[in-house]
Amino acid sequence: MSFSFGSNIHISIFGQSHSDAIGVTIEGIPAGFRPDTEALAAFLSRRAPGNSEFSTPRKEADAPEFICGLVNGTACGSPITAIIKNTNTRPSDYASLSDVPRPGHADYTAHVKYKGFEDPTGGGHFSGRMTAPLCIAGGLFMQLLGRAGIKIGAHIQSIGNISDIHFDPCRVSEEDMRRIHANILPVLSAEADEKMRGLIRDCKIKGDSIGGVIECAIIGVPVGIGEPVFHGMENVISQCVFAIPAVKGIEFGSGFDGCAELGSVNNDPFTVENGEVRTVTNNHGGILGGITSGMPIIFRAAVKPTPSIGAVQQSVKLSSLEDTALSVKGRHDPCILPRAVPCVEAAAAIALYDMIKNEINEGSV
Amino acid sequence: MSFSFGSNIHISIFGQSHSDAIGVTIEGIPAGFRPDTEALAAFLSRRAPGNSEFSTPRKEADAPEFICGLVNGTACGSPITAIIKNTNTRPSDYASLSDVPRPGHADYTAHVKYKGFEDPTGGGHFSGRMTAPLCIAGGLFMQLLGRAGIKIGAHIQSIGNISDIHFDPCRVSEEDMRRIHANILPVLSAEADEKMRGLIRDCKIKGDSIGGVIECAIIGVPVGIGEPVFHGMENVISQCVFAIPAVKGIEFGSGFDGCAELGSVNNDPFTVENGEVRTVTNNHGGILGGITSGMPIIFRAAVKPTPSIGAVQQSVKLSSLEDTALSVKGRHDPCILPRAVPCVEAAAAIALYDMIKNEINEGSV
Amino acid sequence: MSFSFGSNIHISIFGQSHSDAIGVTIEGIPAGFRPDTEALAAFLSRRAPGNSEFSTPRKEADAPEFICGLVNGTACGSPITAIIKNTNTRPSDYASLSDVPRPGHADYTAHVKYKGFEDPTGGGHFSGRMTAPLCIAGGLFMQLLGRAGIKIGAHIQSIGNISDIHFDPCRVSEEDMRRIHANILPVLSAEADEKMRGLIRDCKIKGDSIGGVIECAIIGVPVGIGEPVFHGMENVISQCVFAIPAVKGIEFGSGFDGCAELGSVNNDPFTVENGEVRTVTNNHGGILGGITSGMPIIFRAAVKPTPSIGAVQQSVKLSSLEDTALSVKGRHDPCILPRAVPCVEAAAAIALYDMIKNEINEGSV
Amino acid sequence: MSFSFGSNIHISIFGQSHSDAIGVTIEGIPAGFRPDTEALAAFLSRRAPGNSEFSTPRKEADAPEFICGLVNGTACGSPITAIIKNTNTRPSDYASLSDVPRPGHADYTAHVKYKGFEDPTGGGHFSGRMTAPLCIAGGLFMQLLGRAGIKIGAHIQSIGNISDIHFDPCRVSEEDMRRIHANILPVLSAEADEKMRGLIRDCKIKGDSIGGVIECAIIGVPVGIGEPVFHGMENVISQCVFAIPAVKGIEFGSGFDGCAELGSVNNDPFTVENGEVRTVTNNHGGILGGITSGMPIIFRAAVKPTPSIGAVQQSVKLSSLEDTALSVKGRHDPCILPRAVPCVEAAAAIALYDMIKNEINEGSV
């Protein structure tokens, strides 16, 4: 059940980095929905490798091929399956990786779990490449949500010690989300854009990598979505966001910082604005008791530095149980955050659509 | 499905703060398991209110009554249901709360979601009291895990700006876990204990509250537990930990801080120690690719300041949609963290047992 | 997950025949629903033992006690838990049963599965008594369905070789369902009533038992409910109906008999009647491709003769692996079908409500 | 969740009769398992169309293409996805079908459910063609079960009023299962083979169709598999078997006939044979209380006559709500039972493997 998700929808992801194809099967897209394939392609291209100097030079068209579920471009109520063929694979050299696990990767844990039968090529099913099908599903759900007036946008909040400005948690707008795409990196501030690019270039030169934080906002969500206890919005968004390899933390609203505050500071006063109940501040990140409050949902995900680095690292030979040195070859991103931004949006869309499916007007499709 | 959790086990929580009873039904306890009821009572007493000057004076024996699933104290393979009767309820005054939602609480979101039919008394099913059944389930799973050599311990990492020392992420031991209980508050350092108590007392005097961070360690977990993508250890632990009201963030291993680092710093080199593969550092928090590495699992949960405070706060009258002032009456914790510590352990135990159930030797029961 | 059911609702059954209590937790009852407790009691009394000469003399008030989920009799959106205390238990004598399994019972399979730790008293959690919580849940869902115009009624189709008349599969009405309760046994025909009672009396005198078939109809279901493949109406109704101990078969519409027919005979022609599409015959039992057609749903469940009989039977001593003779003592039904009728209705209601929940107007509550 | 199944495994079926491809994703195949692709092809060919005069002349190689999950032919622990390309499609003419639903088909119910957006070509995802991916999954699980000593075999029990002999419910053997394949139709008796073929030929000539019953046996299952109440073996096998279009009933052991008997006749006495507990008869069909008894599992599925027949039938024009006549064109099976036999085996294998996965020795892979 590991590669599957959903209560009201159902997505099932499959493939390995270097298998014939990767893909996703999606149940729960309403019959009659007509995906905007250009918008989807544009969304996927934000995740795709090889698009700028800031990512791995491995090039994949990554164009999804819909093999069922659409009839003349319109959802027919059957599961939608999209596959992406893996054309640009380089399976050589993997034999050594198989015996010497890369620090920070799943090579070792997979080796034990799958008893040596794991697919070591390119990380197998642990590859960041598996976020492509996640983004296909998420991209479709973003369109469905968008047609119901719900918009999702994320930006790089920080890389290393360089920070972007924050979304205004009470007033983040669709306009803010568009602003993000005006820069080279997905950030709100041109200054952060420039500094972050400098930092990434430095890391690339040194054969090192750098992590950071992504901030995501969801606006237009009605009050009352989410279920308490195990299926609150925080639980479900977390379950999806941790499906992105490299995510090691998540926080909602004022998060870890807010927890150092007094209740009198962190509590968000209620007020009436234009006949609607709102909060004056949004430390709760749009979620109270697991249920949406109508304020923007705000969360941040911590993304660890890409573990694949050129520098020599210490590892072990599993066959002989000896320490050894390892230098990872291959094509790698010095900073995965630019490509992780659409993945976080996709994960949020999948989680939210699962919770909201039965509440939104299918007529909006 | 909101109050239920599990793939290989199944727990189902029920009740409201002031209903006749609250409780939990647990499937997946192996037949033949004989719970240590004294150890369970001791565990539950760490969560129970009224045990020290640092918590609400509401007193509940909170002794679970097992109404089925045990025969002469031994699990018979049928679901185990435990209930706790709510004896010390004070349902007066709730009428006003129902119309004026408390800032930071689920009153407003519940009111919209349940169309005015929600149980407003004491927070209904959003009450922190619902962590009692969570702890019954978690307490039993901790015993099962313990008999298989897996130990779980948490401490208060920080309250406000006062920090406890950290677990040593590579070498945390059962002895460290016991040390936590030597102090009045569940912390590792006597100095933190004293300072934190001072801070909590201050908050109490001012009618305010304060939040913080809880750090949890799990030791003795074999390599290879957890499933990638949607059911990795991070996904599942998160889903459970966010079931604790007031948790607004979670991070694993080096977490948010590690994400500001270079890959060369954050990657954990592998080494062989006594014929076993280990990592030299543990920034990955015992989880790589969603799968356990055999190193201690380390995570931290951010707990927001208790929203119920005596100070006057701004809210709205829902019936007339007017702003109004609110002062929350009743018995409240100035700092929930001491009582939240066993809840975090319980949530971790439930998540882990669900993932590991089919891997551990039932003979160890 | 064995004792739990549901995709859109969630029910979790607990207890053993002679534990302190048995019960059920129900998620998915809409907030604001006000159960008719008298109607529920009347429904449960149809299943309760000791109500007529045709059932076991074990008497249990079987009055459910709602310990949470209702506030002043109205659902508040929290799970509803109802328990029934087991007052009239007789745990003596069970020691021998534990070693000598009763033919036709789960004693032996439970003994192996639970490694000797099973609860042998009164069949433990395999007891027919566990249908009481099933009927509590089903009874509530029948009320919810009833308010949306959907009615469920079942009758004894046959006992041994004595048959009742069938529902008219195209025109079964609420009036037919009421007619069933005019007789002493739940049948449509007074003649069958009398003959069946004679047969049951004979079995009782001989210390034997007899099985039969129950026919169930559901009317008022809109077109388009159910999901193809694994969650069609047949799949889901079956999953629930086989939760009733003693059910060994199920068939929909013309069922096994229809399968001996030609397609030209078994196919149901479509026609337009009062502006609505209907079928002229109803061999499909209201379900095509797993999806409701708007015609009455008709199915039949085969109920085996109660295995507990007074006659001497051959069994084995598990401890010594020797053949031995067994005569089952205790209070038993010579024919379980009268009491199984409401269980079948309850199972159908649970299955249907799970499928239809998101389609019916909650305003009808 | 409709196209997905499983608690311990997870299969997700996708595709429509005339989409680019159909297929299945399978989680839960142990890493290291090496499928016997020839045996799988042989199994699938029993379901494939066009293999004999007794089935539709539509020819599809139906060779599965494994696009991920296998590395050099060995399972790597990642989901296995197999697709079958739909090469021999004939989408013409379907426009009229879309407006005039075929009696006995899902055309009408799908039209309402999917609001006119359903894929009408060849029945869309309601096509019997969707049993090809079911058989891929089932075929793999049969191999896994087979390596653990568990064998599954089914035969046509009856077509119309012509019956094959029954499996001996206590002593069915692997040899019996092989015998089935010695005949042209999958039956035990040469006499039935000949008579049934005559009947099918008659139906074909008349443009009619005929249904029947399939009997399935599973041998080698250990005692203690299955969970009571909602996940007993009967519940889970039923849920899977009703995934086969055209199945309208299922019965276990002595089934409907046994329910007309006395308890003293239907109860199966226990005895000790070669140091093992067995039953003298097997009216319980190898399942007591939802749990396997170690005796052969025996069940029968009722398969309705193929609804697609050449004869003129009455239907309606949905667009104008008028009665109309319909003659179904296209390539159809006069009797689907020969091809449904492997489907029943596959469904049984999927259900059983899901229940037994954690109990069988993976070393047997």
Side-chain angles (χ1 to χ4, degrees), chain C residues 114-137:
Chain C
Y114 303 114
K115 298 171 183 147
F117 295 108
E118 74 281 4
D119 180 356
T121 335
H125 60 263
F126 296 91
S127 167
R129 185 150 177 68
M130 297 309 294
T131 56
L134 189 85
C135 283
I136 295 172

Side-chain angles (χ1 to χ4, degrees), chain A residues 21-22 26 47 61 81 89 116 128 208 263-264 276 282 294 336 356:
Chain A
I22 59 177
I26 310 164
R47 192 216 69 88
T81 298
T89 59
D208 211 333
S264 56
E276 299 209 329
N282 186 11
I336 200 66
I356 209 173

Side-chain angles (χ1 to χ4, degrees), chain A residues 2 208 211 228 235 239 259 264 267, chain B residues 2 208 211 228 235 239 259 264 313:
Chain A
S2 185
D208 211 333
N235 312 63
Q239 196 194 347
C259 292
S264 56
N267 277 358
Chain B
S2 186
D208 211 331
N235 312 63
Q239 196 195 347
C259 292
S264 57
Q313 297 179 86

Side-chain angles (χ1 to χ4, degrees), chain A residues 216-278:
Chain A
C216 184
I218 314 176
I219 56 176
V221 183
V223 191
I225 305 303
E227 302 286 334
V229 194
F230 295 108
H231 288 82
M233 286 304 309
E234 288 117 334
N235 312 63
V236 179
I237 290 177
S238 295
Q239 196 194 347
C240 276
V241 169
F242 278 112
I244 305 168
V247 171
K248 294 299 277 188
I250 192 166
E251 60 176 13
F252 294 83
S254 61
F256 278 85
D257 284 350
C259 292
E261 296 288 355
L262 295 170
S264 56
V265 173
N266 195 58
N267 277 358
D268 300 304
F270 285 107
T271 188
V272 175
E273 215 178 276
N274 303 323
E276 299 209 329
V277 176
R278 293 177 55 87

Side-chain angles (χ1 to χ4, degrees), chain A residues 251 255-257 259, chain B residues 212-214 246-250 300-304:
Chain A
E251 60 176 13
F256 278 85
D257 284 350
C259 292
Chain B
V213 174
I214 290 170
V247 171
K248 294 299 279 188
I250 192 166
R300 280 170 299 281
V303 179
K304 74 177 181 184

Side-chain angles (χ1 to χ4, degrees), chain C residues 166-286:
Chain C
H166 278 274
F167 281 129
D168 176 338
C170 286
R171 303 193 192 284
V172 52
S173 67
E174 215 177 322
E175 175 52 33
D176 294 325
M177 294 176 182
R178 273 192 293 266
R179 248 172 79 200
I180 293 164
H181 305 302
N183 292 304
I184 293 174
L185 294 177
V187 288
L188 289 164
S189 129
E191 197 188 325
D193 186 24
E194 197 181 323
K195 284 191 187 164
M196 287 176 183
R197 281 186 282 138
L199 175 57
I200 296 173
R201 261 187 223 109
D202 282 357
C203 287
K204 196 172 188 176
I205 289 163
K206 292 179 191 149
D208 210 332
S209 67
I210 184 80
V213 174
I214 290 170
E215 184 178 63
C216 184
I218 314 176
I219 56 176
V221 182
V223 191
I225 305 303
E227 302 285 335
V229 194
F230 295 108
H231 288 81
M233 286 305 309
E234 288 117 335
N235 313 62
V236 179
I237 289 176
S238 295
Q239 196 195 347
C240 277
V241 169
F242 279 112
I244 304 168
V247 171
K248 293 300 278 187
I250 191 167
E251 60 176 11
F252 293 83
S254 60
F256 278 84
D257 284 350
C259 292
E261 297 287 356
L262 294 170
S264 56
V265 173
N266 195 58
N267 277 357
D268 300 303
F270 286 107
T271 189
V272 175
E273 214 177 277
N274 303 323
E276 299 208 329
V277 175
R278 294 176 54 87
T279 56
V280 176
T281 49
N282 186 12
N283 293 315
H284 69 291

